[in-house]
Amino acid sequence: MLLILSSMSCATVSSQQQLNYEGNKAYLSGHYQEALRRYEKTLEAANKNKDQQYIAIGMYGLGRTNIKLCRLDEAEKWLKQSIIVREKVADKRIKGSANLIYCEANGLIKTLLCVLTTFIDKGIVIPNSNR
């Protein structure tokens, strides 16, 4: 566990929370490979600590990052697993967020497919950056 100190209060942050924060930071700055590594570590730490909430959160991070990398099969797998885990969590707020995540994921996938279809229709070649 990490201890974060501020002038007003102290807060204890688990390793999975810190790793997820780092994953989000990398994701938001467009460093998707680093985001994947951090979300994988988030999932590893959450599994070790049996933290169902962060297991689901780590899976969601992996799903949305794989969408950005155009790895739709991998993205779908992680997003579905995240929803399954969230549905099992007792906290109703977390259960309710599963539907929001599902809607967001579907929206991201539909947007990506729309963009790809437009590129194909216009004959635009997309280089594979995963090589």
Side-chain angles (χ1 to χ4, degrees):
M1 296 233 169
L2 300 173
L3 186 63
I4 298 177
L5 300 173
S6 72
S7 60
M8 297 294 287
S9 65
C10 296
T12 303
V13 178
S14 67
S15 58
Q16 58 266 24
Q17 288 172 310
Q18 180 64 34
L19 289 162
N20 187 68
Y21 167 79
E22 293 168 5
N24 289 340
K25 189 174 173 184
Y27 177 88
L28 292 171
S29 62
H31 298 107
Y32 301 123
Q33 293 298 332
E34 180 61 23
L36 280 179
R37 283 189 287 278
R38 295 300 176 179
Y39 291 134
E40 287 168 352
K41 296 267 188 199
T42 299
L43 188 54
E44 189 178 298
N47 276 313
K48 181 180 174 185
N49 294 321
K50 296 181 172 79
D51 183 338
Q52 294 297 306
Q53 179 180 355
Y54 272 87
I55 289 171
I57 289 170
M59 290 173 171
Y60 173 70
L62 289 168
R64 72 181 186 152
T65 304
N66 276 295
I67 288 171
K68 291 290 189 176
L69 294 170
C70 297
R71 299 175 185 161
L72 299 183
D73 289 341
E74 192 73 7
E76 182 180 17
K77 175 188 86 170
W78 286 116
L79 292 169
K80 283 181 177 179
Q81 287 182 18
S82 176
I83 291 168
I84 290 166
V85 172
R86 285 176 192 262
E87 286 296 322
K88 293 178 182 176
V89 175
D91 187 335
K92 291 186 193 276
R93 291 174 300 147
I94 295 169
K95 278 187 174 181
S97 69
N99 288 331
L100 295 174
I101 288 171
Y102 180 77
C103 290
E104 180 183 352
N106 276 338
L108 289 170
I109 291 171
K110 286 178 183 177
T111 300
L112 178 60
L113 290 175
C114 182
V115 169
L116 289 175
T117 301
T118 302
F119 282 4
I120 291 168
D121 290 347
K122 292 184 178 187
I124 298 170
V125 176
I126 304 168
N128 185 348
S129 63
N130 296 327
R131 293 184 202 179

